[in-house]
């Protein structure tokens, strides 16, 4: 096994965490190596085909993990340059200030972070500007203070969603424009202009973008970083272990299996892990040695524990009037985020999903038997669909964890009933509103195809929490700079570091934190 050149920083993973960190460090002039397990996602017609993406799962990783019963399942992971951001819906929310403190839920306690909202706020602003987030601060009355407005105006509602927003306001609620990362220029009617990269289509949510209009980590961070002479990318590099020096205090070699079946070693002064919460924990556990018998950074015993993935529901309502919306992902409601007038605990948030099409509806047909009728066949049903995403907080439990078996296979233990009472109440709130929103009041259907909601354990898009940060080395794996307590040169910058997950998409917080840690590493490099 021949080692390659030595690097100042090695970053393992090119998603929201790793890709953003590399972009931050690229201008320092240091030698930076990005290692990515996959390659570049092919640009092809199937990128925008519902059957290929959702039904056949063409772009999902061809691997299986195992649940607590030893049953295999296909996880929702994508190994490409840009990581899971190639498929995310680009909804880029900030956590609320309250999310950084201890919050009491019906199902238990959401713990406090070792930093607060004010510590991350400047990085949230930088992240929003970097990832081209379109929105309008001030519309959501519960959001935290901001140091700067979004750099881009909100994506305008199409007529049916504008009517939905108006109807929600009439019910005393506070709908706001969903913050979304797209490279979009709009005219006075909200239409994409001739020079806009984003074309305002119905393929943003869950699909890779054929025209590079979605602000994913490859387009926004990795490709620009590679323009610097000191930055290199090796694709098809599946990192299998991290080796340390005899003291166990420094990672001395990153060992990867390459696409051609060979093994390569890479050395660097600083090593950053950003493989996703499950795979980052698995890598640290696989790297156990004499000095770290339970895995790297794991003297606390917390690596792999406290896995979180949100309590989510993807739902489809049926509009009485046709819904001709193309770009539906423009609206959110957080009025019940921290509680309601009839319940003291947090419920979570509601946002729009990408628009269902006939192929997705047909894919759901076995679950919706009896709903279609001669008056409303599935093609007509799709034309009337209005799609919602309900997101509630999953609580960190030590027994929800990532482990490895004797063959190195990943096992994921998950309590799927963890803190779901708030989400159930949120669904009830939405159900009760349908008749006032121009919807059929009794049709609120589980959209199982979207992000594999038919198999909750497989829905790993919002994975977090397995390598938590904190001030106490006995109760956390990382310090406040996301450096391992147990090692001098090992950092973790994906969503693994989260002590809690809140009830909004985690990507912006991962991006903001990568910028924060990037500042720290840049200062350390001098």
């Amino acid at each position: 096994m021949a080692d390659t050149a030595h690097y100042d920083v090695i970053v393992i993973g090119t998603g929201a965490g790793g890709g953003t960190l590399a972009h931050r460090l690229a201008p320092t002039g240091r030698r930076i190596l990005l290692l990515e397990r996959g390659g570049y996602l092919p640009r092809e017609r199937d990128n925008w085909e519902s059957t290929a993406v959702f039904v056949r799962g063409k772009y999902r990783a061809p691997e299986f993990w195992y649940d607590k019963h030893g049953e295999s399942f296909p996880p929702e992971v994508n190994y490409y340059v840009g990581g899971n951001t190639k498929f995310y819906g680009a909804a880029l929310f900030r956590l609320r200030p309250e999310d950084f403190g201890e919050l009491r839920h019906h199902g238990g306690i959401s713990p406090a972070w070792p930093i607060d909202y004010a510590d991350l706020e400047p990085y949230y602003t930088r992240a929003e500007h970097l990832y081209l987030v379109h929105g309008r601060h001030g519309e959501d009355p519960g959001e935290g203070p901001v140091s700067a407005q979004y750099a881009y105006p909100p994506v305008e509602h199409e007529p049916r969603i504008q009517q939905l927003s108006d109807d929600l306001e009439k019910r005393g609620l506070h709908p706001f424009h969903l913050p979304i990362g797209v490279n979009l220029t709009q005219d006075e009617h909200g239409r994409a202009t001739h020079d806009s990269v984003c074309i305002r289509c119905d393929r943003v949510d869950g699909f890779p973008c054929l025209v590079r209009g979605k602000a994913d980590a490859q387009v926004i961070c990795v490709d620009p970083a590679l323009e610097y002479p000191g930055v290199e990318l090796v694709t098809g590099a599946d990192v299998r272990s991290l080796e340390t020096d005899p003291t166990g205090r420094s990672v001395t070699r990153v060992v990867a299996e390459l696409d051609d079946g060979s093994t390569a070693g890479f050395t660097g002064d600083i090593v950053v892990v950003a493989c996703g919460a499950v795979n980052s924990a698995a890598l640290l556990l696989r790297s156990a040695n004499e000095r770290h018998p339970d895995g790297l950074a794991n003297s606390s015993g917390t690596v792999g524990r406290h896995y979180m993935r949100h309590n989510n529901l993807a739902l489809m309502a049926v509009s009485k009037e046709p819904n001709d919306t193309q770009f539906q992902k423009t609206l959110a409601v957080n009025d019940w985020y921290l509680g309601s007038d009839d319940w003291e605990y947090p419920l979570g948030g509601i946002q729009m999903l990408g628009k269902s099409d006939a192929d997705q509806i047909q894919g759901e047909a076995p679950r919706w038997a009896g709903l279609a009728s001669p008056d409303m066949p599935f093609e007509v049903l799709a034309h009337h669909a209005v799609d919602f995403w309900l997101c509630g907080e999953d609580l960190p439990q030590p027994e929800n964890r990532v482990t490895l078996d004797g063959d190195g296979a990943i096992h994921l233990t998950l309590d799927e009933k963890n803190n779901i009472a708030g989400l159930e109440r949120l669904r009830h709130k939405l159900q009760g509103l349908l008749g006032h929103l121009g919807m059929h009041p009794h049709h609120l259907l589980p959209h199982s195809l979207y992000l594999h909601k038919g198999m909750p354990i497989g829905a790993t898009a919002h994975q977090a929490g397995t390598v938590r940060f904190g001030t106490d080395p006995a109760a956390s794996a990382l310090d406040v700079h996301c450096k391992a307590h147990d090692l001098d040169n090992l950092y973790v910058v994906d969503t693994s570091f989260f002590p809690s997950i809140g009830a909004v998409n985690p990507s912006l917080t991962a991006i903001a934190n990568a910028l924060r840690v990037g500042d720290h590493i840049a200062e350390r490099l001098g």
Side-chain angles (χ1 to χ4, degrees), residues 43-307:
R43 296 180 70 193
E44 56 193 9
R45 288 177 64 90
D46 275 354
N47 288 177
W48 282 357
E49 289 290 338
S50 289
T51 300
V53 173
F54 288 105
V55 181
R56 289 194 282 117
K58 177 174 181 175
Y59 301 106
R60 278 206 315 266
E63 66 178 80
F64 289 88
W65 298 347
Y66 296 86
D67 66 16
K68 60 185 176 184
H69 304 297
E71 298 293 327
S72 65
F73 66 92
E76 184 203 345
V77 291
N78 308 279
Y79 299 140
Y80 297 102
V81 177
N84 281 334
T85 67
K86 295 301 294 181
F87 292 83
Y88 76 161
L92 294 168
F93 292 88
R94 299 181 179 208
L95 288 170
R96 290 185 173 212
E98 293 87 349
D99 288 317
F100 291 85
E102 184 176 285
L103 270 178
R104 183 172 297 278
H105 288 253
H106 181 267
I109 298 294
S110 175
W113 290 41
I115 61 174
D116 60 23
Y117 176 85
D119 295 319
L120 206 55
E121 196 286 327
Y123 297 100
Y124 272 139
T125 295
R126 283 168 55 181
E128 287 164 351
H129 293 180
L130 175 62
Y131 274 73
L132 312 179
V133 182
H134 288 60
R136 184 177 292 126
H137 285 305
E139 290 184 337
D140 175 10
E143 71 173 348
V146 299
S147 56
Q149 185 55 262
Y150 290 112
Y152 304 93
V155 179
E156 297 293 341
H157 301 314
E158 292 175 48
R160 182 63 187 90
I161 306 307
Q162 183 61 57
Q163 184 61 54
L164 173 62
S165 180
D166 295 343
D167 289 342
L168 287 166
E169 285 190 4
K170 290 174 185 174
R171 305 306 299 174
L173 299 173
H174 301 85
F176 58 96
H177 287 87
L178 185 151
I180 188 166
V182 284
N183 192 353
L184 171 69
T185 306
Q186 304 171 99
D187 64 17
E188 65 273 18
H189 304 293
R191 296 171 303 201
T193 61
H194 74 280
D195 58 345
S196 175
V197 179
C198 172
I199 60 174
R200 266 199 85 118
C201 70
D202 60 354
R203 306 281 96 169
V204 64
D205 204 355
F207 297 89
C209 183
L210 264 171
V211 298
R212 297 170 62 92
K214 180 161 62 176
D216 64 48
Q218 175 217 322
V219 171
I220 296 297
C221 289
V222 176
D223 289 352
L226 290 172
E227 296 178 6
Y228 288 84
V231 182
E232 299 175 37
L233 168 67
V234 176
T235 58
D238 181 5
V239 175
R240 304 308 298 167
S241 65
L242 306 176
E243 298 177 356
T244 69
D245 65 5
T247 71
R249 289 297 304 178
S250 293
V251 175
T252 54
R253 181 179 283 115
V254 177
V255 181
E257 293 178 1
L258 304 183
D259 273 350
D260 63 6
S262 64
T263 300
F266 304 91
T267 63
D269 293 337
I270 293 173
V271 174
V272 182
V273 175
C275 313
V278 172
N279 277 308
S280 287
L283 174 59
L284 297 178
L285 294 172
R286 272 200 312 270
S287 301
N289 59 29
E290 184 177 345
R291 289 287 184 178
H292 301 276
D294 298 319
L296 292 194
N298 199 27
S299 63
S300 63
T302 60
V303 171
R305 294 187 180 272
H306 309 107
Y307 171 79

Side-chain angles (χ1 to χ4, degrees), residues 11 16-18 21 272-274 482 491-497 510 513-514 517 521:
V11 182
L21 180 74
V272 182
V273 175
C482 292
Y491 292 78
V492 181
V493 298
D494 52 30
T495 52
S496 302
F497 82 95
N513 182 67
V517 175
I521 292 177

Side-chain angles (χ1 to χ4, degrees), residues 358-430:
D359 288 339
Q360 294 177 44
I361 300 288
Q362 192 66 40
E364 300 281 10
R367 302 178 187 88
W368 296 349
L371 177 64
S373 67
D375 295 330
M376 188 174 282
F378 283 117
E379 294 78 11
V380 178
L381 188 62
H383 194 199
H384 288 253
V386 181
D387 308 88
F388 296 93
W389 173 257
L390 278 59
C391 187
E393 182 162 359
D394 184 20
L395 299 178
Q397 298 180 342
E399 58 271 24
N400 284 352
R401 63 185 300 200
V402 177
T403 55
L404 303 176
D405 64 23
D407 297 323
I410 290 173
H411 289 245
L412 187 58
T413 300
L414 175 65
D415 173 10
E416 296 173 11
K417 301 297 184 182
N418 173 14
N419 196 40
I420 61 173
L423 185 68
E424 291 172 345
R425 284 180 174 260
L426 190 62
R427 175 176 180 155
H428 183 73
K429 292 284 189 188
L430 179 59

